[in-house]
Amino acid sequence: MDTIDLDVLKNCAQWIAAGKRCQLVTVIRTWGSSPRPEGAMLAISEDGIVVGSVSGGCIEDDLIAKVRAEGITRTLPELVTYGITADEAHRFGLPCGGTLQLAIEPLGPASGIAELLERLGRRELVARRLDLGSGAVILGPATSGMAMQVSESALTTIHGPRWRLLIIGAGQLSRFLASIAAGMDYRVTVCDPREEYREGWNIDGVELLHGMPDDLVLDMKLDHRSAVVALTHDPKLDDLALMEALKTDAFYVGAIGSRVNNAKRRERLKLFDLDDAQLARLHGPIGLYIGSKTPSEIAISILAEMTAVKNGVAVPQDMTVQAAKDAAKLGAGGEACGI
């Protein structure tokens, strides 16, 4: 499954290749409450087709109306601000008087969209610099931690590898977790050497591998945009992979299981060459307390905790402990015995 941004860029490339006029709209600044974050993108073709979002619908309607009434007449990038006055904020549906500034860029073959997509396909982290005066585009390598930059003369946006999620185990819970994560900007890989669990796996956009999980962790070279979740309940598959993952920069490493089972897991991992700081990074029981009663709800609770960690939000311990208690009520044994 494509992320929203990739979908926007792919549609732009298709329109350009077909000779259609189109423009790319990027949120570059926000003030107050705004529906979409800085960097959010939207593309509009000359016939008013829209992909992506910059406001959740209100600003899009105005942009579409202008294109349908006037066509795409811009030849150079333009900065446009919505919601400066309370009346405009109300008219465009911006919450609490929010204001956002957009960069509207007419696209063509020289805009570098096709090359950008090629680089993203090679999992490169790319900086795209748009000269606001001339419309010229330069693509170059970006470094980890770079963010969008806006000046009077240029807009530099960062495009790069999607967040990665490695799921160990291909059971029922893994299917829900993989499906939801694929729509949350994760490139999802599922690893399970057990043939009986891989049989019938058919989730689009999710890579299924049959090697040993610890070997895959090493091969993937996990970074700070990576997460690992172990769901097999089998120490032979989970423990070595978790050991290797805890040595990496992965922002989240977690394992399913009750508090008792996770305590036993930590004791086993102490026998390997992990220090206390590395062991402290292991999340388990995993998931936030949301009253989960089914595998699909447990998947949501796991992704909720992952999202909190990714965004630097502190998670109270009682929210994970209670989640484990609730999930344990689903029954003994198997994936649903506790998170």
Side-chain angles (χ1 to χ4, degrees), residues 305-325:
E305 184 182 32
M306 280 177 50
T307 302
V309 173
K310 177 169 70 75
N311 294 338
V313 176
V315 177
Q317 184 179 10
D318 60 346
M319 293 189 72
T320 58
V321 171
Q322 185 60 48
K325 288 181 179 178

Side-chain angles (χ1 to χ4, degrees), residues 30-334:
T30 64
W31 296 269
S33 299
S34 59
R36 298 285 286 140
E38 293 179 357
M41 296 192 303
L42 170 148
I44 307 178
S45 69
E46 62 185 0
D47 45 7
I49 297 175
V50 172
V51 181
S53 174
V54 293
S55 74
C58 43
I59 301 303
E60 286 83 346
D61 291 343
D62 186 65
L63 293 169
I64 295 169
K66 289 180 177 177
V67 167
R68 288 180 173 170
E70 306 168 6
I72 295 178
T73 59
R74 289 183 179 85
T75 58
L76 294 174
E78 181 181 356
L79 303 187
V80 177
T81 303
Y82 281 90
I84 294 178
T85 67
D87 177 68
E88 286 177 319
H90 176 74
R91 181 161 63 93
F92 293 116
L94 293 172
C96 305
T99 301
L100 69 161
Q101 188 175 39
L102 308 175
I104 304 180
E105 173 194 357
L107 298 178
S111 299
I113 301 299
E115 181 184 348
L116 175 59
L117 285 169
E118 289 177 4
R119 293 192 178 195
L120 294 180
R122 297 194 295 268
R123 294 197 53 77
E124 296 181 21
L125 190 61
V126 183
R128 180 178 185 268
R129 184 184 185 278
L130 170 67
D131 188 300
L132 296 175
S134 67
V137 170
I138 298 175
L139 300 179
T143 58
S144 178
M146 284 184 66
M148 183 179 68
Q149 299 176 359
V150 186
S151 68
E152 292 183 357
S153 60
L155 166 64
T156 301
T157 50
I158 308 302
H159 309 264
R162 294 187 288 179
W163 297 92
R164 292 187 292 169
L165 171 60
L166 169 62
I167 301 173
I168 301 170
Q172 184 184 35
L173 176 54
S174 300
R175 292 174 182 269
F176 288 108
L177 187 65
S179 296
I180 301 170
M184 293 178 61
D185 206 23
Y186 286 92
R187 177 179 178 180
V188 182
T189 301
V190 176
C191 178
D192 199 325
R194 303 170 299 181
E195 183 176 354
E196 62 272 21
Y197 281 90
R198 301 195 309 272
E199 186 70 26
W201 185 275
N202 58 354
I203 298 178
D204 291 339
V206 175
E207 185 178 26
L208 178 64
L209 301 176
H210 65 269
M212 290 302 294
D214 54 315
D215 291 335
L216 182 57
V217 169
L218 294 173
D219 291 342
M220 288 181 67
K221 295 180 172 55
L222 303 175
D223 56 19
H224 70 285
R225 300 165 73 93
S226 307
V228 177
V229 176
L231 299 179
T232 72
H233 285 291
D234 185 345
K236 297 189 298 295
L237 298 178
D238 289 346
D239 285 6
L240 289 177
L242 291 170
M243 177 191 72
E244 298 297 346
L246 290 169
K247 296 176 184 177
T248 71
D249 293 330
F251 76 88
Y252 183 93
V253 179
I256 198 172
S258 65
R259 286 179 294 167
V260 172
N261 286 337
N262 270 286
K264 292 179 180 178
R265 176 181 288 113
R266 285 183 168 85
E267 290 300 317
R268 293 194 300 269
L269 290 175
K270 284 182 181 179
L271 301 177
F272 299 108
D273 56 342
L274 294 177
D275 57 35
D276 291 341
Q278 290 170 328
L279 278 174
R281 297 183 56 230
L282 177 63
H283 293 268
I286 52 175
L288 297 186
Y289 172 60
I290 57 173
S292 304
K293 302 299 181 184
T294 64
S296 58
E297 292 176 345
I298 293 173
I300 292 172
S301 77
I302 293 171
L303 287 166
E305 184 182 32
M306 280 177 50
T307 302
V309 173
K310 177 169 70 75
N311 294 338
V313 176
V315 177
Q317 184 179 10
D318 60 346
M319 293 189 72
T320 58
V321 171
Q322 185 60 48
K325 288 181 179 178
D326 278 5
K329 297 176 183 177
L330 293 179

